[in-house]
């Protein structure tokens, strides 16, 4: 296990609690990546050093601390410029990485699908390119381990031009995947089955909620960024109505721009959602900051007017209801309270979803002569067919549909079949 020292620089003393929360998160990231944290160093300094980011005195202090703790790795919570990273490594004589590099490393370990791996490799290449200092081998300099792993591990040792070639090749592959996805989305848009997306800060409980709603068993974990690849499942209501639910990659503060760019294809999905469930870990003292980070990423991606439900999760960890309501300082949108772990609040969430997703639809009972069988086919394309049975020369359907669209089909609509 690599031993790591964590460094956080704040330029404003007032942000002390924010600095601590950010450090807590960095610690979570470091242990997710497989490091043992041996020391945490804060510096408050109004001026940022162009040479080291932190002050020169602090650099010597860290060098000593490194000897003392036998650390092999220095992780900065702030993002470092290539030249700062180089200077720090030369002076401290240890591998130095920043928050972005740490997140990239975790992503590299967690990516499973071909698309996920390509996206991570792309992000890594974009990140490393300016760090090659013109001579190549940015990574062999680092000597392996955290911050150097990934699908593109070997290729990163190649020269700048080869990397640029690889970037255009991956971009092409990703745009092919994107095209396929766009086709799928087109098909989905034509279908009447609604599509719901889970978003939220990493570790908020998205995958746990996904499992709870879809009765699946996908991977959940106290690690950060446990989910990287989007996954889609069907969720049914008791009466047979259903929708599709997708789990997605978690968000984080100071999300590296390289990642946003390369995961854009995945996040495009959100634009097509009929409803977004924003999962919030309401037990975190700074959950508003996390909410803000998610909302600003959503607006970066350009998610239009999709209805959003705030799902305040992990309520089982809170002592009582009053505490809960006191806690909710979210000003906009509808808030619901759940525990994806105990199932508390899930029925309420489902009935809200039902109301939002099917608000323009009503139940219809149809009777269609067998001679007009094509009509049955057509109904199943643009309405939600809940039940279907044969009755002599007729087929009977129980469907959910938009009443306006049903105007032309009044001869087939049957009344008084409500208990079917
Ligand atoms: N007590 C409690 N724990 C929960 C609840 N929901 C999720 N957790 C725990 O929180 C941790 C993170 O849950 P995940 O579902 O993996 O979180 P996620 O949002 O999918 O996280 P990433 O995929 O890593 O972004 C796990 O250890 C879960 O067991 C809840 O309602 N109550
Ligand atoms: Mg997850």
């Amino acid at each position: 296990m690599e031993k790591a020292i964590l460094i956080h620089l704040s330029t404003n003393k007032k942000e002390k609690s924010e600095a601590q929360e950010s450090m807590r998160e960095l610690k979570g990231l470091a242990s997710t990546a497989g490091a043992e944290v041996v020391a945490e160093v804060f510096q408050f300094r109004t001026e940022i050093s162009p040479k080291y980011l932190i002050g020169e005195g602090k650099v010597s202090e860290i060098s000593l601390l490194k000897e003392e703790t036998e650390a092999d790795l220095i992780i900065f919570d702030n993002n470092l410029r290539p030249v700062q990273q180089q200077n720090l490594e030369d002076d401290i004589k240890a591998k130095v990485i920043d928050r972005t590099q740490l997140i990239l490393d975790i992503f590299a370990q967690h990516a499973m699908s071909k698309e996920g791996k390509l996206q991570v490799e792309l992000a890594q290449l974009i990140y490393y390119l300016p760090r090659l200092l013109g001579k190549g081998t940015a990574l062999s300099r680092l000597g392996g381990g955290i911050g150097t792993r990934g699908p593109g591990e070997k290729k990163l040792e190649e020269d700048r031009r080869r990397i640029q070639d690889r970037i255009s090749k991956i971009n092409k592959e990703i745009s092919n995947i994107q095209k396929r996805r766009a086709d799928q989305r087109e098909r989905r848009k034509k279908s009447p089955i609604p599509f719901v997306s889970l978003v939220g800060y990493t570790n908020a409980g998205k995958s746990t909620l996904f499992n709870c709603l879809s009765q699946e068993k996908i991977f959940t974990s106290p690690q950060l960024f446990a989910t990287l690849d989007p996954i889609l499942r069907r969720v049914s209501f008791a009466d047979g109505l259903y929708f599709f639910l997708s789990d997605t990659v978690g968000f984080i503060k100071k999300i590296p721009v390289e990642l946003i760019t390369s995961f854009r294809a995945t996040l495009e999905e959100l634009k097509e959602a009929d409803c977004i469930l924003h999962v919030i870990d309401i037990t975190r003292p700074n959950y508003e900051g996390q909410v803000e980070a998610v909302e600003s990423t959503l607006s970066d991606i350009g998610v239009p007017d999709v209805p959003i439900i705030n799902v305040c999760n992990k309520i089982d960890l809170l002592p009582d209801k009053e505490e809960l309501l006191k806690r909710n300082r979210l000003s906009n949108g509808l808030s619901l309270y759940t525990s994806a772990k105990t199932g508390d609040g899930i029925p309420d969430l489902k009935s809200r979803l039902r109301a939002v997703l099917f608000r323009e639809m009503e139940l219809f009972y149809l009777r269609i002569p067998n001679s007009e069988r094509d009509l049955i086919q057509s109904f199943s394309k643009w309405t939600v067919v809940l039940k279907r049975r044969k009755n002599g020369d007729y087929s009977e359907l129980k469907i959910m549909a938009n009443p306006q669209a049903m105007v032309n089909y009044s001869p087939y609509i049957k009344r008084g079949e409500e208990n079917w």
Side-chain angles (χ1 to χ4, degrees):
M1 206 183 239
E2 285 176 79
K3 290 185 178 173
I5 298 175
L6 310 183
I7 322 277
H8 176 97
L9 172 80
S10 278
T11 47
N12 185 347
K13 254 208 158 86
K14 276 193 216 127
E15 294 164 358
K16 195 163 173 200
S17 69
E18 214 170 282
Q20 277 162 346
E21 183 62 26
S22 190
M23 187 63 114
R24 190 197 61 81
E25 187 170 276
L26 187 71
K27 206 171 171 181
L29 289 167
S31 62
T32 296
E36 179 198 349
V37 176
V38 292
E40 296 173 25
V41 179
F42 287 90
Q43 181 168 43
F44 295 96
R45 193 171 196 262
T46 42
E47 239 166 86
I48 288 175
S49 149
K51 191 170 174 195
Y52 296 113
L53 184 91
I54 50 175
E56 210 154 316
K58 215 54 170 182
V59 178
S60 327
E61 197 184 298
I62 293 165
S63 296
L64 285 176
L65 192 59
K66 185 209 95 177
E67 298 301 325
E68 232 171 78
T69 56
E70 296 178 342
D72 349 75
L73 174 64
I74 316 291
I75 307 175
F76 275 76
D77 196 18
N78 314 69
N79 285 326
L80 294 169
R81 309 242 310 274
V83 58
Q84 290 167 334
Q85 186 175 15
Q86 180 71 60
N87 291 337
L88 287 160
E89 281 191 347
D90 290 348
D91 279 40
I92 302 173
K93 302 200 170 47
K95 180 167 64 170
V96 174
I97 66 173
D98 64 13
R99 187 182 172 92
T100 299
Q101 213 169 341
L102 183 61
I103 294 174
L104 286 171
D105 197 81
I106 296 171
F107 272 47
Q109 291 182 64
H110 290 181
M112 295 293 166
S113 69
K114 180 162 185 255
E115 180 182 12
K117 285 185 178 148
L118 283 173
Q119 287 172 324
V120 174
E121 187 180 347
L122 181 64
Q124 287 187 320
L125 292 173
I126 294 171
Y127 178 84
Y128 287 115
L129 198 57
R131 284 166 173 76
L132 285 172
L133 304 168
K135 16 182 176 47
T137 63
L139 273 194
S140 44
R141 174 172 61 84
L142 292 173
I146 295 171
T148 67
R149 293 172 293 208
E153 201 163 337
K154 281 192 207 77
K155 280 155 206 117
L156 286 171
E157 308 213 348
E158 296 168 3
D159 66 30
R160 190 181 280 268
R161 200 181 54 79
R162 301 259 292 274
I163 289 183
Q164 234 133 18
D165 289 348
R166 179 73 189 148
I167 288 179
S168 20
K169 195 161 166 258
I170 296 180
N171 270 326
K172 231 176 266 158
E173 281 185 59
I174 290 182
S175 87
N176 282 337
I177 297 175
Q178 225 163 342
K179 243 180 259 152
R180 264 206 309 278
R181 278 180 176 276
D183 289 347
Q184 282 169 4
R185 279 204 300 273
E186 262 325 293
R187 249 175 287 144
R188 206 159 57 208
K189 250 197 277 183
K190 283 189 198 128
S191 130
I193 314 298
F195 170 64
V196 176
S197 245
L198 286 166
V199 302
Y201 209 76
T202 181
N203 215 45
K206 297 175 295 297
S207 299
T208 312
L209 189 66
F210 180 89
N211 288 345
C212 185
L213 286 167
S214 66
Q215 280 144 25
E216 280 277 332
K217 284 195 183 54
I218 60 162
F219 185 60
T220 66
S221 148
Q223 292 197 335
L224 301 173
F225 298 115
T227 310
L228 267 199
D229 299 315
I231 166 166
L232 197 69
R233 285 289 177 274
R234 184 175 154 147
V235 179
S236 301
F237 297 103
D239 60 3
L241 265 187
Y242 63 96
F243 62 92
F244 287 111
L245 180 68
S246 85
D247 188 13
T248 55
V249 55
F251 295 4
I252 195 161
K253 277 184 218 169
K254 301 184 235 170
I255 188 163
V257 66
E258 290 86 354
L259 278 182
I260 300 193
T261 322
S262 50
F263 276 83
R264 197 168 270 276
T266 308
L267 297 171
E268 287 290 309
E269 302 268 319
L270 295 174
K271 292 189 190 169
E272 313 294 333
D274 297 287
C275 179
I276 289 177
L277 297 181
H278 179 174
V279 184
I280 299 158
D281 180 349
I282 192 86
T283 66
R284 293 250 56 87
N286 70 325
Y287 72 88
E288 290 147 297
Q290 302 192 340
V291 165
E292 235 174 75
V294 172
E295 285 175 350
S296 80
T297 311
L298 286 180
S299 84
D300 282 351
I301 308 163
V303 174
D305 293 336
V306 180
I308 296 185
I309 300 178
N310 295 324
V311 181
C312 303
N313 191 38
K314 306 199 187 181
I315 56 168
D316 57 296
L317 295 177
L318 293 176
D320 57 44
K321 251 208 153 84
E322 248 163 68
E323 162 81 11
L324 184 68
L325 295 173
K326 242 191 292 169
R327 257 170 187 272
N328 192 348
R329 298 177 293 263
L330 301 172
S331 51
N332 48 353
L334 169 71
S335 290
L336 293 179
Y337 301 91
T338 60
S339 165
K341 201 164 200 170
T342 65
D344 210 12
I346 301 298
D348 199 24
L349 172 62
K350 278 185 90 170
S351 65
R352 259 343 148 90
L353 269 173
R354 195 193 152 109
V356 171
L357 297 174
F358 299 101
R359 63 186 179 280
E360 278 158 12
M361 291 194 180
E362 283 172 22
L363 264 182
F364 290 93
Y365 299 85
L366 307 177
R367 197 167 192 221
I368 301 163
N370 288 345
S371 55
E372 292 178 59
R373 206 168 287 133
D374 289 354
L375 212 53
I376 301 177
Q377 279 297 317
S378 123
F379 274 120
S380 55
K381 281 200 186 109
W382 61 273
T383 72
V384 185
V385 178
L386 297 174
K387 274 188 185 164
R388 187 175 162 166
R389 69 178 176 199
K390 284 225 176 295
N391 189 356
D393 293 339
Y394 294 91
S395 280
E396 293 179 326
L397 301 180
K398 178 182 178 181
I399 62 165
M400 281 291 270
N402 191 322
Q404 274 170 347
M406 291 301 290
V407 172
N408 298 331
Y409 298 95
S410 54
Y412 303 104
I413 299 174
K414 279 190 68 185
R415 311 275 164 202
E417 289 285 330
E418 279 65 18
N419 41 16
W420 184 35

